[in-house]
Amino acid sequence: MSIVELRQYTLRPGARDTLIELFEREFVTGQQAVGIHVGGRFRDLDDPDRFVWLRSFPDMRRRRRSLEAFYTGPVWRAHRDAANATMVDSDDVLLLRGPGFTPSPGTREVGATICQPPDAAAFAAYAARHLGPDPLPASVDLAAYRVIQEALTNVRKHAGPGARAEVSVVRVGPNTEITVIDNGTGTGAADGDGGGHGLLGMRERVTALGGSCTAGPRYGGGFRVQAILPVKAAETGATGEGTS
Ligand SMILES: Nc1ncnc2c1ncn2[C@@H]1O[C@H](COP(=O)(O)OP(=O)(O)OP(=O)(O)O)[C@@H](O)[C@H]1O
Ligand SMILES: [Mg+2]
């Protein structure tokens, strides 16, 4: 699949699950029937009115043909009023170049942070097939593992009972970005000044590889840890500046 659409809908307050129910029941098979590959569907944990989903096409020509077929076809006609009634904005669309697309020289890779797929197994399979990143260099891989391990340990220790966490690992250009967010009590001290060693150790490990790390309460509740690790530097054996 060469062209991936990343669509981010803003929905009317409280309408997200109505749309998801309709989407799963009608629009997945409805689009598949006209040759559209429907990928992951997500609830954005940071925004209760946001629904994010992916679909892909072999190329732009077949994209146009499939979209025409779907939006003039019986499934959309039967359900579009119900779908549109849930939406405030459906125009936030990014076209991503998927594996198999030959980029022009200098084009950067594009990644998206994604949350809580309704069907986790289907998303894992989709990501492995279509969105899988290259394996990381060992030093970056280990640092990423330690960041996630410490962040998830902190969720268990500090976020309070019943908290849930989301982990994302996304390759963005020359970096790998690791984000761990939770929806817990999140009142902890930002950036590791709270007396423990975990966040400080994490920061040291990440900066030693030339990366950066932030941690702190999220606006609206919960806690976020984000680490940005340069991959290209590690691949060429460098750990910071001064390489050629
Ligand atoms: N997920 C989280 N939710 C709420 N507070 C957090 C979370 N993660 C960290 N904190 C806060 O940040 C502080 C610093 O975390 P850090 O990992 O550095 O130390 P610690 O977990 O208390 O101790 P250590 O990691 O050394 O065992 C914690 O004491 C806690 O107050
Ligand atoms: Mg800790």
Side-chain angles (χ1 to χ4, degrees):
M1 295 290 172
S2 289
I3 302 293
V4 180
E5 260 185 35
L6 170 65
R7 306 184 64 97
Q8 309 199 65
Y9 290 173
T10 302
L11 303 174
R12 294 189 192 287
R16 183 162 68 180
D17 281 331
T18 306
L19 177 66
I20 288 175
E21 191 276 324
L22 183 61
F23 196 99
E24 295 299 313
R25 184 162 48 85
E26 303 290 347
F27 296 154
V28 176
T29 48
Q31 292 182 89
Q32 282 167 350
V34 295
I36 299 173
H37 183 98
V38 181
R41 285 83 72 186
F42 310 101
R43 296 177 174 89
D44 186 332
L45 283 187
D46 286 332
D47 183 345
D49 303 322
R50 182 156 287 227
F51 173 63
V52 180
W53 63 289
L54 298 153
R55 66 183 170 192
S56 61
F57 311 85
D59 53 44
M60 290 301 274
R61 191 176 50 83
R62 274 177 282 184
R63 172 174 177 263
R64 199 184 57 231
R65 233 195 271 154
S66 292
L67 292 182
E68 270 169 22
F70 180 70
Y71 288 109
T72 59
V75 174
W76 181 246
R77 213 174 310 132
H79 301 288
R80 71 180 164 206
D81 290 346
N84 286 334
T86 66
M87 295 179 196
V88 175
D89 171 42
S90 59
D91 292 339
D92 184 342
V93 182
L94 293 175
L95 287 186
L96 313 180
R97 301 169 178 103
F101 182 92
T102 311
S104 48
T107 308
R108 312 276 298 266
E109 290 170 64
V110 184
T113 303
I114 38 197
C115 311
Q116 215 189 16
D119 181 344
F123 174 66
Y126 179 86
R129 266 201 318 278
H130 300 299
L131 304 172
D134 302 332
L136 292 174
S139 59
V140 178
D141 202 35
L142 180 63
Y145 176 77
R146 293 291 179 213
V147 166
I148 294 167
Q149 182 182 47
E150 174 60 26
L152 290 179
T153 304
N154 280 348
V155 173
R156 271 240 304 272
K157 273 169 66 178
H158 306 299
R164 289 182 306 136
E166 291 283 343
V167 178
S168 75
V169 181
V170 180
R171 181 80 173 260
V172 184
N175 299 323
T176 279
E177 293 187 7
I178 297 139
T179 309
V180 180
I181 57 172
D182 68 60
N183 63 352
T185 47
T187 50
D191 289 331
D193 297 330
H197 302 291
L199 293 178
L200 286 175
M202 180 190 293
R203 155 105 29 86
E204 275 167 22
R205 185 182 279 276
V206 168
T207 50
L209 290 172
S212 63
C213 184
T214 56
R218 293 164 65 203
Y219 178 74
F223 203 84
R224 178 197 311 271
V225 171
Q226 185 169 57
I228 299 177
L229 288 161
V231 176
K232 293 291 182 220
E235 275 168 353
T236 55
T239 55
E241 294 176 0
T243 51
S244 58

